[in-house]
Amino acid sequence: MDWNVSFSNSLSPLSIDQQVITINGMFPGPLLNATTNDVIHVNVFNFLDEPLLFTWNGIQQRLNSWQDGVSGTNCPIKPSTNWTYVFQIKDQIGSFSYFPSINFQKASSGYGPIRVNNRNVIAVPFLKPEAKFDLLIGDWYAGDYKYFRTLLGTEVSAYDVTPDAILMNGKGPYGHPMSTPYESFTVEKGKTYRFRISNVGNTLSFNFRIQNHTMLLVETEGSYTNQISLNSLDVHVGQSYSVLVTADQNDADFYMVASPKLLDTSIIGLGVLHYSNSTTPASGPDTFDLDFSVNQAKSIRWNLTAGAARPNPQGTFNVTNVTLSQTFILQSTRAEINGAPRLVVNNVSYYTSNTPLKLADHLTNGSGVYTLYQFPIQSVNSEAAYGISVVTGNHRGWVELVFKNDIDDMDSWNLDGFSFFVVGFGSGDWTPDSRNTYNVIDPIVRSTAQVYPGGWTAEYAFLDNPGMWNLRSQNLKNWYLGQELYIRVYDADPNPAKERPPPDNLLLCGIFYQSNAPAPAPGLLTGF
C-alpha cells in the first residue's frame, strides 16, 4: 500500500487554523487490517517539511528491528522522498496502532488503527459480533506541534500545559462549541458489537464508558483476557483493548465518554452510540469512581485456555517457574540538565544520536556512536546527565523490568519487539520482597503497561527476539524529553533465521551518510 503523508488545514478537529498530519488525506490514518503471519508493505511518501518515521505500536517485528521505525533503528525518511517498510506480523493477533515516532509529530496526528485477525483454523473465544468498530481516543493540543516542542525543550512550565480536548477518531467532543462533527456509531437493538479502543493521545490516561451499557472485556494488545463485565475501563497512553457491547437498551442515543484520569480538568471526550431507530438525543453523562484503577488493572487476567496466534492455549506459555537472568530497575523523574527541562531514567536522559544505533551496530560494532555497559540498570547516577542509553539483554533469557515512577503524573511504558507479562503493581519503593506480591499464575501479556504516580510496575519478558529494541515512555512529552533507552539483544549466529539482514533499501545517515553511497550489502551481521 502507498501512504502519502502530508499536512492539512481543513481537518482541524477544533475548527481553528491548525496543521494536521494526514495519510492519504485521512485523519486518523487508514486501517491496517491483517491476519496472523501476513507480510505488510507500506510505501511511505513524505510530503511534510521535515523527516518522518512510523512505528508500529505493539507489533513485534520478529527478528527484524530494521523495520521498527524509531530513531535508534532507522534513518528518517527525508522530505520529498519515500521509503518502504516490509515486515511480517508473526505469531500475533489483536488490536494495535501506529503513529509517527520522531519530532513530536504524533501531537499533530499521523496515527491510525491496526487489526491482526486470527487465522481461520484458530477459534476466537467469543461469538462473532455484528460489526467491529475502531475507536481511537486521545488528548489534543490546539496549537502548532512545532511551537510546542520548542517550548517544551526550553520552558519547565511547558511540561504542565493541559491539553485542550479529547478526540474520538479525530473528532471533537459532542456539543463542543469549536468542534467539527462528533463521532457516532449506529447499532441495532439486540445485536453485539466489538469496539477496539486505543489511547493514541499524548499525555492523558482516560476512563471510558458507554452510558447505560456494560462492556465485556475480551482482548488487549494481542492477548485474549478472562472475560469480565465492566461499567468503565481505564485506558492508558499507548494501550489498546477490545470490548463487546450489546445494544440492550430502548431505542435512544447514549453518550460514549472518555474522561481524564488523575487530572482536575473540564475537558472530556464525548461521542454517541446511536440506535438505528432512535429519535431521542443523548443526555447525561454519568459519573465514575476515580479510585478503582489499580484494582481494575489487577483484575485483567490472561485467558489460559484460549488459543490466539497459535492453536496452543495461551496458558501453555506461562511464567510460573521461570528463572530470571537479569533485573532492570528503572526509576523515572524530572530534572534539569544544563538549564533545560528533561526526563531521566536512573538520572540519564536519552540523547538521540544522528546515527541510528542499529546501523552503527551493523557497520562498526557501535563504535563512535554508543558504548555498552555505561547505563546503570540497578542504580541511580549521582547527577542527571545526557547519555545514549543502551543495555545488553541476554538472548533467550528472562528479564525482570521494574518501572518506578517518581513523577506526579500517570506514566506508561512500551517495549518494542516483545510482549511482556505484567506481574505486579505497587506503591512506594520496590524491593526484592515485592516479588511475593506478584501474580505469576495468569498475568496479562501486553506491550504497554501503566505505572502509577509514586508507584512501581513489574514485568517479565523473554528476550528471544534478537535486535536493537526501544524501551520508552508512551507519554509523548516524557519520551521527547529523554525517557527511553534501548535493549540490545544479540545472537552471534549469522543464520538469518536468528535475525534478518538489513533490507536492500537500507537508508544511510549520520556518520555513514554519503550522498551517492550504496547501501551496505545485506547479510553481513556484526556484533560484540
Side-chain angles (χ1 to χ4, degrees):
M1 65 192 76
D2 290 342
W3 282 7
N4 295 319
V5 183
S6 59
F7 290 121
S8 171
N9 287 85
S10 63
L11 294 176
S12 175
L14 298 181
S15 301
I16 62 172
D17 186 15
Q18 181 181 13
Q19 285 186 326
V20 172
I21 295 175
T22 65
I23 302 174
N24 296 343
M26 301 170 60
F27 166 45
L31 168 68
L32 269 181
N33 193 20
T35 299
T36 302
N37 298 335
D38 279 356
V39 177
I40 305 299
H41 297 249
V42 182
N43 189 9
V44 176
F45 292 82
N46 181 9
F47 293 103
L48 305 183
D49 57 5
E50 60 181 8
L52 170 71
L53 281 174
F54 279 98
T55 193
W56 321 95
N57 193 45
I59 301 300
Q60 293 180 11
Q61 307 286 355
R62 294 294 299 173
L63 312 176
N64 198 11
S65 62
W66 295 105
Q67 306 289 333
D68 198 29
V70 289
S71 66
T73 59
N74 294 82
C75 295
I77 306 167
K78 294 182 178 180
S80 302
T81 67
N82 69 295
W83 194 75
T84 301
Y85 291 91
V86 181
F87 56 92
Q88 186 177 27
I89 301 181
K90 182 72 172 173
D91 289 339
Q92 282 190 277
I93 56 94
S95 306
F96 308 95
S97 62
Y98 60 83
F99 53 80
S101 67
I102 60 174
N103 292 328
F104 211 70
Q105 290 162 347
K106 185 188 175 192
S108 193
S109 182
Y111 51 72
I114 301 175
R115 299 182 190 174
V116 185
N117 305 294
N118 284 53
R119 292 179 291 149
N120 290 333
V121 296
I122 300 178
V124 176
F126 47 85
L127 296 177
K128 183 178 180 180
E130 178 68 16
K132 303 170 187 176
F133 300 126
D134 298 297
L135 182 51
L136 307 182
I137 304 175
D139 56 85
W140 185 260
Y141 294 92
D144 181 8
Y145 77 96
K146 296 177 184 177
Y147 169 77
F148 189 73
R149 78 184 180 202
T150 300
L151 192 66
L152 191 62
T154 57
E155 299 290 338
V156 174
S157 60
Y159 185 91
D160 296 317
V161 173
T162 301
D164 296 284
I166 293 178
L167 308 184
M168 292 187 176
N169 286 344
K171 299 175 183 178
Y174 175 90
H176 192 289
M178 297 176 59
S179 281
T180 54
Y182 58 87
E183 184 59 291
S184 178
F185 297 103
T186 298
V187 298
E188 293 185 32
K189 186 174 180 178
K191 295 184 176 180
T192 298
Y193 299 82
R194 181 176 183 174
F195 285 81
R196 296 176 183 259
I197 303 163
S198 295
N199 187 334
V200 294
N202 307 301
T203 303
L204 299 180
S205 301
F206 62 78
N207 178 267
F208 177 78
R209 59 230 185 250
I210 300 176
Q211 187 183 25
N212 291 1
H213 290 74
T214 59
M215 300 175 290
L216 185 68
L217 180 66
V218 294
E219 178 261 333
T220 176
E221 295 155 39
S223 288
Y224 289 122
T225 67
N226 284 341
Q227 296 177 13
I228 55 176
S229 293
L230 302 171
N231 293 319
S232 68
L233 174 65
D234 282 357
V235 188
H236 305 278
V237 178
Q239 293 184 339
S240 296
Y241 288 96
S242 284
V243 298
L244 299 180
V245 177
T246 298
D248 56 3
Q249 300 298 304
N250 293 326
D251 287 332
D253 286 0
F254 298 90
Y255 281 135
M256 301 183 298
V257 184
S259 50
K261 297 288 293 185
L262 303 177
L263 182 68
D264 183 15
T265 177
S266 61
I267 70 169
I268 195 169
L270 210 57
V272 169
L273 187 72
H274 169 70
Y275 280 61
S276 57
N277 294 324
S278 169
T279 59
T280 304
S283 62
D286 53 351
T287 59
F288 69 98
D289 180 2
L290 189 66
D291 299 325
F292 83 138
S293 188
V294 175
N295 289 332
Q296 183 183 86
K298 291 180 177 180
S299 73
I300 297 173
R301 305 293 185 94
W302 221 19
N303 184 332
L304 299 180
T305 61
R310 302 180 187 183
N312 315 58
Q314 291 181 147
T316 304
F317 315 96
N318 61 71
V319 293
T320 53
N321 293 302
V322 303
T323 299
L324 297 173
S325 67
Q326 294 175 284
T327 295
F328 298 170
I329 303 172
L330 306 173
Q331 180 176 328
S332 299
T333 191
R334 293 163 66 176
E336 287 191 36
I337 302 176
N338 300 330
R342 298 294 295 180
L343 265 291
V344 293
V345 183
N346 293 354
N347 250 353
V348 180
S349 184
Y350 182 79
Y351 175 79
T352 302
S353 168
N354 290 329
T355 304
L357 310 179
K358 182 64 179 173
L359 187 62
D361 203 30
H362 170 65
L363 294 177
T364 65
N365 288 355
S367 63
V369 176
Y370 75 89
T371 303
L372 284 169
Y373 313 121
Q374 290 188 344
F375 182 84
I377 59 173
Q378 289 192 344
S379 60
V380 178
N381 283 351
S382 58
E383 294 184 4
Y386 291 104
I388 298 178
S389 309
V390 185
V391 299
T392 297
N394 295 339
H395 181 236
R396 299 191 67 81
W398 283 96
V399 62
E400 177 184 35
L401 300 169
V402 179
F403 300 98
K404 178 71 171 67
N405 182 12
D406 289 339
I407 309 168
D408 292 335
D409 301 321
M410 186 79 75
D411 203 359
S412 57
W413 277 84
N414 174 87
L415 175 58
D416 285 352
F418 306 90
S419 292
F420 45 65
F421 295 78
V422 186
V423 294
F425 298 94
S427 59
D429 291 331
W430 180 92
T431 69
D433 289 340
S434 301
R435 295 181 180 128
N436 297 328
T437 69
Y438 286 3
N439 168 27
V440 295
I441 304 301
D442 56 356
I444 195 64
V445 179
R446 63 188 315 159
S447 59
T448 299
Q450 69 271 29
V451 190
Y452 293 91
W456 55 264
T457 297
E459 303 158 0
Y460 288 171
F462 186 53
L463 301 183
D464 62 342
N465 193 8
M468 183 75 72
W469 300 108
N470 185 239
L471 179 62
R472 64 174 179 269
S473 173
Q474 294 279 45
N475 181 312
L476 185 61
K477 292 186 291 187
N478 294 357
W479 185 10
Y480 183 74
L481 292 177
Q483 194 176 330
E484 66 175 312
L485 59 144
Y486 283 82
I487 299 180
R488 182 183 185 270
V489 182
Y490 179 67
D491 183 354
D493 189 341
N495 184 338
K498 298 292 186 180
E499 184 177 5
R500 300 275 178 88
D504 292 338
N505 64 347
L506 180 68
L507 296 175
L508 298 181
C509 57
I511 64 173
F512 304 114
Y513 175 72
Q514 297 178 28
S515 58
N516 297 311
L524 179 62
L525 293 182
T526 60
F528 289 89

